[in-house]
Structures are given as C-alpha cells and as structure tokens.
Amino acid sequence: MIKLITGAKGTGKTKIIIDMANDNVETAKGDIVFITDTDRYMYSLRYQVRVINTSCLKKVNGAVDEKELIGFIKGILAGNHDIETLYIDGAHRMLARPVSAMEDFFTDIYAVAKTTDTRFVLTVSENEENFPEFLRKYQGEE
C-alpha cells in the first residue's frame, strides 16, 4: 500500500519516482496522480499522469499544514475513485519539516491507503543510518 523511495538529498529519488509513474502508465487499470510542490517535473511525466502542484496550498512561511495536505489528498481521492496510484515527491519539503517529525503524516497516509485501496509511493530524503524507526514498517511494503 505504501512504497518508500529513500536516500539522501541528491541521490536521484525524484528521477526514480518519475520513471516509476511513467512506467506505471503501461500497466495501470486506474488513474495515476503525481503530487509535488513545483511545476519543474511536469514535462518529464507522461500526459496520462495527472500532475498536481501543492504550491497553491503554501502559507506565508512557505510550508503546507500537515492536516491541510492530508485533507487535500483525501479530497483528490474522494473526487476520483479511479485513482490507482498516488505518487508524492518531497512531502517533507511541502511540510517544511524533517522526516523524523512526520510520523503522524505517514500514519494518516497509511490509513488513507488502507481505506481507499490506493497505492502510495513517496520519496523520503533520509540516509539509512538516520532513518526514523516509525518508517521502517513501510520499507519493503508493496
């Protein structure tokens, strides 16, 4: 239900998640959504992938509130029950928080994945040695 693409900043996680979304177009039976906080990758993704930029949600401090982001994701899923896979690139950037402080976010995402049968693929900018314990249960999940 949740797949994590992990590694330190600059290790190519975004390229991996973009390639995964593009490859998914060939086999998907439902819709594919890619959430990010920039338009930078819009033209790297195939036209069948729905790209959503969360920069419109950002507050004055440049961050998105965690509950707002979860609500936004739930709203996307409520509006389209055909979403098979939802890719999220850089949730830590959107929330302006370290990954270690995002346990509630990942718990909420996991709950949404279970109730909607949506597969989530997220990038996590963290080295293996600094990987938070709460995320270890999602490693290797598919």
Side-chain angles (χ1 to χ4, degrees), residues 40-57:
R40 183 175 173 191
Y41 312 115
M42 186 168 46
Y43 298 108
S44 299
L45 288 154
R46 295 178 63 177
Y47 74 89
Q48 296 95 332
V49 178
R50 172 75 166 105
V51 180
I52 299 175
N53 183 341
T54 62
S55 64
C56 62
L57 301 175

Side-chain angles (χ1 to χ4, degrees), residues 12-76:
K13 294 176 302 300
T14 297
K15 171 122 177 58
I16 291 168
I17 199 171
I18 287 171
D19 289 345
M20 286 177 74
N22 285 333
D23 292 345
N24 194 8
V25 168
E26 299 299 325
T27 58
K29 292 178 177 43
D31 294 335
I32 303 166
V33 175
F34 192 96
I35 298 176
T36 187
D37 60 347
T38 179
D39 286 331
R40 183 175 173 191
Y41 312 115
M42 186 168 46
Y43 298 108
S44 299
L45 288 154
R46 295 178 63 177
Y47 74 89
Q48 296 95 332
V49 178
R50 172 75 166 105
V51 180
I52 299 175
N53 183 341
T54 62
S55 64
C56 62
L57 301 175
K58 289 188 178 177
K59 304 279 189 192
V60 176
N61 65 357
V64 176
D65 178 79
E66 185 174 308
K67 295 215 180 292
E68 287 178 353
L69 184 57
I70 293 293
F72 184 69
I73 291 167
K74 286 179 177 179
I76 291 167

